């Protein structure tokens, strides 16, 4: 069931707020019974991965005539780090403004990951597509702070027994 991943994502990130982590505003479950209504929603999907998941929903609703869906209202973000990297790949590496942006990007990613790790959350899908800039305005497409998102593959560590540190590593030798 695809909803279990969304439920886990919501449960893990519920009540977690940090400037470098995408905030979940609210979560609710709803039921769809109208295929036409769902097909209208499908036109909003630009991401092929999302559309494939949506295709699973369509098959279920055609068979069962109803389907439950978890709707997640999240903080609105702008372009991804992947889009920034693609736009800046051929820029002058000695450009001071570019270097300062790179430093800010790294600092924001570190701060976001530190927050997750302090909350015993392992992201497990950390990549440029899951790092977003703040919502853009007409002047600048890449506004800070950067935010880590997409927590569908996250896991919570429930015990310090799972830690791998120098002390535990050496004691096993």
């Amino acid at each position: 069931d695809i909803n279990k991943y969304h439920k886990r994502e919501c449960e893990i990130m519920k009540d977690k707020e940090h400037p470098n982590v995408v905030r979940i505003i609210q979560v609710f479950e709803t039921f769809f019974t109208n295929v036409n209504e769902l097909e209208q929603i499908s036109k909003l999907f630009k991401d092929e991965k999302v559309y494939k998941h949506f295709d699973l929903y369509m098959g279920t609703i055609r068979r069962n005539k109803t389907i439950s869906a978890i709707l997640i209202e999240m903080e609105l973000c702008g372009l991804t780090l992947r889009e920034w990297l693609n736009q800046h790949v051929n820029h002058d590496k000695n450009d001071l403004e570019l270097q300062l942006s790179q430093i800010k990007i790294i600092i924001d990613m570190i701060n976001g990951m530190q927050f997750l790790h302090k909350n015993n959350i392992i992201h497990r899908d950390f990549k440029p597509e899951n790092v977003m800039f703040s919502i853009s305005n007409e002047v600048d497409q890449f506004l800070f702070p950067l935010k880590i998102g997409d927590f569908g593959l996250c896991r919570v560590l429930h015990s310090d027994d799972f830690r791998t540190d120098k002390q535990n590593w050496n004691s096993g030798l």
Side-chain angles (χ1 to χ4, degrees):
D1 178 39
I2 197 164
N3 280 343
K4 72 179 178 181
Y5 298 107
H6 299 299
K7 286 177 184 175
R8 180 177 60 230
E9 175 177 359
C10 297
E11 190 59 37
I12 288 173
M13 296 310 295
K14 185 175 74 174
D15 302 324
K16 307 274 188 311
E17 289 193 34
H18 188 274
N20 301 114
V21 174
V22 176
R23 185 171 58 95
I24 294 178
I25 298 167
Q26 68 175 331
V27 179
F28 54 96
E29 187 171 15
T30 189
F31 295 89
F32 289 100
T33 58
N34 185 332
V35 174
N36 294 331
E37 188 177 79
L38 281 175
E39 286 172 344
Q40 292 300 315
I41 293 171
S42 74
K43 294 176 184 173
L44 302 174
F45 297 128
K46 295 177 184 173
D47 184 338
E48 191 174 314
K49 269 188 351 185
V50 173
Y51 188 78
K52 285 180 184 176
H53 288 300
F54 183 78
D55 226 17
L56 293 173
Y57 279 122
M58 291 303 291
T60 303
I61 198 169
R62 284 187 182 104
R63 284 188 308 279
N64 301 338
K65 304 297 183 215
T66 187
I67 189 166
S68 70
I70 301 293
L71 300 181
I72 306 169
E73 181 183 356
M74 295 183 185
E75 173 182 10
L76 185 61
C77 294
L79 298 176
T80 67
L81 179 57
R82 171 61 63 213
E83 291 163 310
W84 186 91
L85 292 168
N86 290 342
Q87 284 191 21
H88 293 83
V89 70
N90 293 323
H91 280 78
D92 178 14
K93 306 297 183 226
N94 295 318
D95 177 8
L96 182 58
E97 191 175 322
L98 176 66
Q99 291 174 357
L100 291 173
S101 291
Q102 291 169 333
I103 290 168
K104 180 68 175 140
I105 288 169
I106 292 167
I107 289 170
D108 282 0
M109 289 189 306
I110 289 171
N111 288 337
M113 290 303 279
Q114 281 181 332
F115 173 78
L116 294 175
H117 291 175
K118 283 180 183 174
N119 284 279
N120 295 325
I121 298 170
I122 304 299
H123 191 280
R124 296 180 14 140
D125 196 20
F126 188 64
K127 58 187 179 184
E129 292 80 2
N130 292 336
V131 177
M132 279 91 35
F133 287 84
S134 293
I135 188 66
S136 62
N137 58 29
E138 294 174 16
V139 178
D140 189 359
Q141 292 182 314
F142 301 105
L143 293 179
F144 290 96
L146 230 59
K147 298 176 180 289
I148 299 170
D150 192 350
F151 302 99
L153 296 179
C154 280
R155 295 292 184 273
V156 176
L157 296 179
H158 296 289
S159 168
D160 282 339
D161 297 8
F162 295 107
R163 287 186 49 181
T164 303
D165 57 25
K166 219 174 199 176
Q167 199 171 36
N168 289 343
W169 180 262
N170 290 334
S171 66
L173 296 177

